[in-house]
Amino acid sequence: MNKTIQLQDLGNRDYKDTWDYQEALFKEILDIKIKNRREDAGLETPNHFLLVEHPHVFTLGKSGDFDNLLVSEKELAEKNATFYKINRGGDITYHGPGQIVGYPILDLENFFTDIHKYLRLLEEMVILTLAEYGLKAERSPGETGVWFDVGTPFARKICAMGVRASRWVTMHGFAFNVNADLGYFDLMIPCGIKDKSVTSLNVELGKATVDEAEVKKKLLKHFTELFEASFVK
């Protein structure tokens, strides 16, 4: 099993360009797995982890409801935002500046074959990172992602997640609000959940901005520990 993961920080990059790149890496791993199965080739499958920040964009998962986008595409364009319907699970999500987006493209057969465990470990990575800032985050039963004050009128999400998997290969991932402009979340019903709000790390800490490079280091440290993996750049 190959537990080495090729790490790339793509900086600020267009959503569609990044999606196409994800698809290429995803297909590369699938093709190796198919070759191994058909020819008993014994080839090692690679793993990838992409970090990126997108310009303002809204994405709708394959099970999502378009009505959860509350403005027209013309109005989105006026706000310098784009929209894509994509092939992950989940409903509508926003990505934008001040948000750390992570796309692990892993062959889970290198780690474990359990999608639910995979999602729970991604959540745990964020929960542990927030704990380093003195914040107690948690899971919300039946709702993927990371939250504060679950079960109260003040419940709010800080990290959304949505993944696609085929033959145990994953793509898409998580969106962690660090210095996000929360006004963009008012243009949609986040993840189709009407009675809960959204927050960002800088808001929770009462700061104008939080060091995103520091947050990334903490996320990656917890990821390697939880997945018993190592990164190479």
Side-chain angles (χ1 to χ4, degrees):
M1 295 192 296
N2 174 26
K3 291 199 171 189
T4 299
I5 302 171
Q6 297 173 43
L7 175 65
Q8 296 180 68
D9 191 332
L10 303 178
N12 191 295
R13 186 157 168 174
D14 177 76
Y15 183 84
K16 183 64 167 59
D17 287 348
T18 311
W19 185 14
D20 289 344
Y21 185 43
Q22 275 195 83
E23 291 277 13
L25 297 174
F26 183 78
K27 183 178 184 299
E28 174 197 14
I29 300 172
L30 282 180
D31 286 348
I32 292 171
K33 296 191 76 167
I34 291 168
K35 183 178 179 68
N36 283 343
R37 192 159 298 175
R38 288 179 178 168
E39 303 174 17
D40 196 22
L43 299 172
E44 185 176 83
T45 51
N47 306 291
H48 302 272
F49 192 119
L50 308 180
L51 285 169
V52 66
E53 181 180 83
H54 293 304
H56 303 294
V57 61
F58 293 82
T59 69
L60 185 68
K62 57 189 177 183
S63 59
D65 184 348
F66 187 78
D67 288 341
N68 288 326
L69 180 65
L70 302 178
V71 293
S72 68
E73 292 194 50
K74 182 177 179 239
E75 290 171 293
L76 283 184
E78 290 169 356
K79 293 184 177 292
N80 297 314
T82 53
F83 173 83
Y84 293 100
K85 188 165 175 58
I86 62 173
N87 58 356
R88 60 161 169 78
D91 206 284
I92 194 164
T93 300
Y94 160 79
H95 300 311
Q99 188 183 70
I100 295 174
V101 178
Y103 298 128
I105 306 165
L106 311 178
D107 179 2
L108 285 184
E109 289 191 303
N110 286 325
F111 301 91
F112 47 78
T113 50
D114 186 331
I115 291 294
H116 291 287
K117 179 178 179 180
Y118 172 64
L119 287 167
R120 301 297 81 78
L121 290 185
L122 288 183
E123 291 166 345
E124 189 68 14
M125 169 191 69
V126 177
I127 290 168
L128 291 171
T129 297
L130 290 167
E132 292 200 55
Y133 289 92
L135 299 172
K136 186 182 185 320
E138 56 192 323
R139 297 175 181 86
S140 180
E143 296 170 333
T144 302
V146 178
W147 304 74
F148 294 113
D149 293 332
V150 172
T152 79
F154 309 105
R156 56 206 182 279
K157 180 184 270 192
I158 192 165
C159 183
M161 293 181 183
V163 303
R164 176 191 174 199
S166 177
R167 297 177 187 261
W168 299 112
V169 181
T170 66
M171 66 179 291
H172 299 298
F174 65 90
F176 182 17
N177 300 330
V178 178
N179 297 304
D181 181 346
L182 298 179
Y184 277 83
F185 288 92
D186 294 335
L187 307 180
M188 66 174 187
I189 300 172
C191 301
I193 301 167
K194 297 180 180 178
D195 58 345
K196 293 173 184 165
S197 63
V198 177
T199 189
S200 184
L201 181 56
N202 65 318
V203 172
E204 296 298 321
L205 295 176
K207 294 184 176 181
T209 58
V210 176
D211 184 342
E212 291 177 36
E214 180 184 82
V215 178
K216 287 178 185 178
K217 285 180 184 175
K218 293 180 188 302
L219 287 169
L220 295 173
K221 176 189 72 171
H222 291 302
F223 185 94
T224 56
E225 291 169 353
L226 291 164
F227 284 80
E228 300 176 349
S230 59
F231 284 120
V232 292
K233 292 187 178 180

